[in-house]
Amino acid sequence: MTEWLISMASVLCLFGGGIAAVHAFVRREFGRLAVGIGLCLVAVAIVSAPVRRTVGDLFGEILGTSSDPAPQAPAPAGDTGLHLGAWWWVIGGAVVTVAAGAALWRKLSNRSRRHTRDRARWDAITAEHDQVREEYGLYVADPFAVLDRPALADVTVPQTIALLHALDAAADAARGTDPAAYREAVTSLKLAWAAADGHARKLGVEHLPKQERATVGRARALLTTALDGGGNEHERRAAYEQARKLLDGVIVLPRQATAELESRQRLSLAKPETPAD
């Protein structure tokens, strides 16, 4: 009975060690791989007849069941001491271990390939999304671009409204986990951006009333003087303030463009005075 229990334990040890070794190899956990291989070697050693009998005698002494074992007939020549049933357990355990390891390997490999493929697909979509956001961000942060293409910042223009909706939809899809939905949202965003930007470039300021077109042109010239032109600090400050007053009620600058204007205006005021000839 004791030998049978030891044989069963060795088969379980072989099975568990094999599974642990394969799993550790797939995950490149070499410490666990060594433990799994060690368990397999221990199982093989225990299955051998001398070791099995020695362990059985040891457990028998501990349990008090083999203090005076009955004499046994010598084993026939060629008998390895490993019963046929035990061989079947060993073979069966090895087959199960190999099959389970192969299944685990295939599952993990497929999962790894699928994850890599999905990650690459997601990164490609993200790159396209980032490109549109960067182009739109450059526009709303450039006050002169807004003055040249005000329709792209006008929330009453249908193409601009569609672009803003597409930006929100793509941002929502980017926070999700569905690549198909993200792809669809980014494709729609690219189309909306091309339509809104192309429409704004084509219009320029022509959709504004004649008086407002003149006002925008005057404000643009004043901003050029205030930010990039010469003159003293008083002249640059006056040109800047006059340009902002002219634009008030005509074109609503995005907050990014307003911040850029204020930053450049502060830098302009910090320029050293040009000495008079």
Side-chain angles (χ1 to χ4, degrees):
M1 180 64 180
T2 303
E3 290 192 15
W4 183 85
L5 291 175
I6 294 173
S7 298
M8 289 293 296
S10 65
V11 171
L12 292 176
C13 187
L14 179 63
F15 177 79
I19 289 293
V22 172
H23 189 263
F25 178 77
V26 171
R27 302 187 63 173
R28 298 183 181 276
E29 298 175 354
F30 297 106
R32 293 181 60 186
L33 175 61
V35 173
I37 294 175
L39 288 174
C40 292
L41 294 176
V42 170
V44 172
I46 292 176
V47 168
S48 65
V51 175
R52 191 175 72 254
R53 282 197 295 268
T54 300
V55 174
D57 292 342
L58 177 61
F59 275 96
E61 291 180 3
I62 295 174
L63 299 176
T65 59
S66 60
S67 56
D68 293 316
Q72 297 180 357
D79 186 5
T80 62
L82 187 62
H83 298 291
L84 183 61
W87 275 114
W88 281 115
W89 278 109
V90 172
I91 295 172
V95 171
V96 171
T97 300
V98 172
L104 179 62
W105 172 274
R106 183 172 55 189
K107 180 179 180 180
L108 293 177
S109 298
N110 290 340
R111 181 183 299 176
S112 177
R113 286 194 296 269
R114 184 167 58 251
H115 175 75
T116 301
R117 184 173 59 252
D118 291 345
R119 184 71 262 176
R121 180 184 179 189
W122 190 274
D123 290 343
I125 301 171
T126 300
E128 296 179 19
H129 187 189
D130 289 343
Q131 181 178 358
V132 175
R133 290 194 298 184
E134 181 179 358
E135 292 177 2
Y136 180 70
L138 290 174
Y139 166 79
V140 297
D142 185 352
F144 291 100
V146 176
L147 294 180
D148 291 338
R149 293 175 280 161
L152 195 54
D154 189 346
V155 294
T156 66
V157 176
Q159 290 85 346
T160 302
I161 296 174
L163 171 62
L164 296 178
H165 287 313
L167 283 167
D168 290 340
D172 291 340
R175 290 189 288 268
T177 58
D178 186 354
Y182 191 22
R183 161 56 64 194
E184 182 179 357
V186 170
T187 299
S188 298
L189 173 60
K190 292 170 65 177
L191 294 174
W193 165 249
D197 186 49
H199 179 71
R201 290 178 183 276
K202 182 179 180 179
L203 281 181
V205 295
E206 294 302 318
H207 65 296
L208 299 176
K210 183 177 180 180
Q211 184 177 356
E212 292 186 358
R213 292 201 299 270
T215 299
V216 171
R218 175 62 178 160
R220 197 183 195 289
L222 288 169
L223 286 176
T224 301
T225 300
L227 303 179
D228 302 322
N232 56 43
E233 178 181 340
H234 175 73
E235 292 170 340
R236 292 195 295 269
R237 187 186 301 275
Y240 178 78
E241 292 177 352
Q242 185 178 358
R244 295 300 304 270
K245 288 179 181 179
L246 287 173
L247 291 175
D248 188 23
V250 176
I251 291 180
V252 179
L253 292 175
R255 58 181 178 82
Q256 297 93 329
T258 301
E260 177 67 14
L261 270 180
E262 294 174 352
S263 176
R264 292 176 63 177
Q265 197 257 346
R266 286 193 297 269
L267 291 175
S268 175
L269 293 179
K271 292 179 180 178
E273 297 292 337
T274 303
D277 293 335

